[in-house]
Amino acid sequence: MTPSPRSTLVNAGSIVRWGLVAVGVVAVLLGALSVGAFLKPTVFGSILEEGGPVERLSVFAWILAALAVWYRAKLDKQSTAIMLTFLAFGAREADLHKAFSSDSFLKIRYYTEGSFGAEKLLFGVAALVLIGMLLIAAFCIFRHVFLRGGWRTAFGQVVVVGGALLCLTKVADRLPSILRVKFGVHIQPDLAAALLSFEEVGELLVPTLFIIAFAWLNTARATDHTFRFLELRGTGNPTANRS
């Protein structure tokens, strides 16, 4: 059956342009906010602090990203793992990983310090489940984007940008602590403010990029083999099979 014009994938030139636009937007926003952090670190610090407005928006954005998966994809094991992973990221942004235990149950030191009791056993099992779910979601996305040609689509390109940005925000988050603890290096307040700006705004942009990616998945309607990674809701398309 010949797909309708609306359901066909965008051409290669358009895909590359949209991918470059996504990269450009991220670079401009993060660059501007980092410069702003250098100029007025006290102002930016109040906006970007833990529990501040940017972090609260990040929680909301992760919930929207999970809803985008739920709305667009039939909930097989792959899309369910991705949806739950997005929700887990949102829960972490809301600090739920340390709300019901004496410390963050996602840190190794929680299990190595002090006695090991029922609480640590329970949260250890929960941590393993979350890690397993994250690995499944990461494998599904990696297979789709890098092994099945998904990088040629706007969906795949935006997912790559979002994944790379997620890794960079984690580096910005951990770098000051690693430098201080491992090497005894204390970074300057202005540089710390710039890293905070990059981290917090980046953590808001990551789920936003995933929401955009699934909006593009909506327009593609799974007419190409690269989209067999998710079976879309209500497409009626026999080519959208589970991989």
Side-chain angles (χ1 to χ4, degrees):
M1 182 176 66
T2 303
S4 64
R6 284 190 176 184
S7 65
T8 56
L9 293 172
V10 291
N11 62 62
S14 177
I15 290 170
V16 173
R17 284 195 296 272
W18 279 114
L20 292 175
V21 166
V23 174
V25 168
V26 171
V28 169
L29 287 176
L30 293 179
L33 285 168
S34 295
V35 170
F38 275 112
L39 297 176
K40 296 182 179 180
T42 55
V43 174
F44 275 76
S46 63
I47 297 174
L48 302 172
E49 63 184 359
E50 291 291 326
V54 173
E55 187 172 75
R56 289 196 294 268
L57 283 174
S58 299
V59 175
F60 183 65
W62 278 117
I63 294 173
L64 286 181
L67 289 175
V69 179
W70 174 81
Y71 181 73
R72 285 307 307 155
K74 293 183 178 179
L75 296 185
D76 57 10
K77 61 183 179 181
Q78 300 175 97
S79 54
T80 299
I82 295 171
M83 181 185 70
L84 293 178
T85 298
F86 288 172
L87 289 175
F89 278 128
R92 188 188 183 284
E93 285 297 307
D95 291 332
L96 293 183
H97 60 299
K98 53 187 176 183
F100 306 103
S101 56
S102 56
D103 196 0
S104 170
F105 69 89
L106 298 177
K107 294 181 178 179
I108 295 179
R109 73 182 184 192
Y110 172 70
Y111 304 97
T112 58
E113 296 178 354
S115 60
F116 190 92
E119 178 190 275
K120 291 186 178 181
L121 177 61
L122 177 63
F123 284 110
V125 172
L128 290 175
V129 170
L130 288 175
I131 292 171
M133 184 176 63
L134 174 61
L135 291 175
I136 292 173
F139 172 74
C140 291
I141 293 176
F142 178 85
R143 180 177 60 180
H144 163 68
V145 173
F146 295 104
L147 302 183
R148 296 186 174 177
W151 59 269
R152 294 193 299 266
T153 67
F155 172 81
Q157 290 178 9
V158 177
V159 165
V160 169
V161 173
L165 183 57
L166 179 62
C167 294
L168 289 175
T169 59
K170 298 309 175 186
V171 172
D173 180 28
R174 297 299 303 159
L175 184 61
S177 176
I178 293 173
L179 290 176
R180 184 180 65 254
V181 175
K182 300 291 185 181
F183 304 101
V185 176
H186 297 267
I187 63 176
Q188 296 297 318
D190 288 347
L191 180 56
L195 288 174
L196 175 65
S197 173
F198 182 92
E199 175 201 349
E200 293 298 332
V201 177
E203 288 178 348
L204 174 60
L205 286 174
V206 168
T208 303
L209 287 171
F210 284 128
I211 294 170
I212 293 171
F214 277 93
W216 262 314
L217 182 63
N218 180 9
T219 60
R221 296 182 68 85
T223 57
D224 187 84
H225 73 281
T226 58
F227 281 94
R228 288 187 296 175
F229 136 85
L230 291 177
E231 183 174 351
L232 302 186
R233 286 183 187 269
T235 60
N237 192 328
T239 66
N241 298 322
R242 293 183 181 89
S243 55

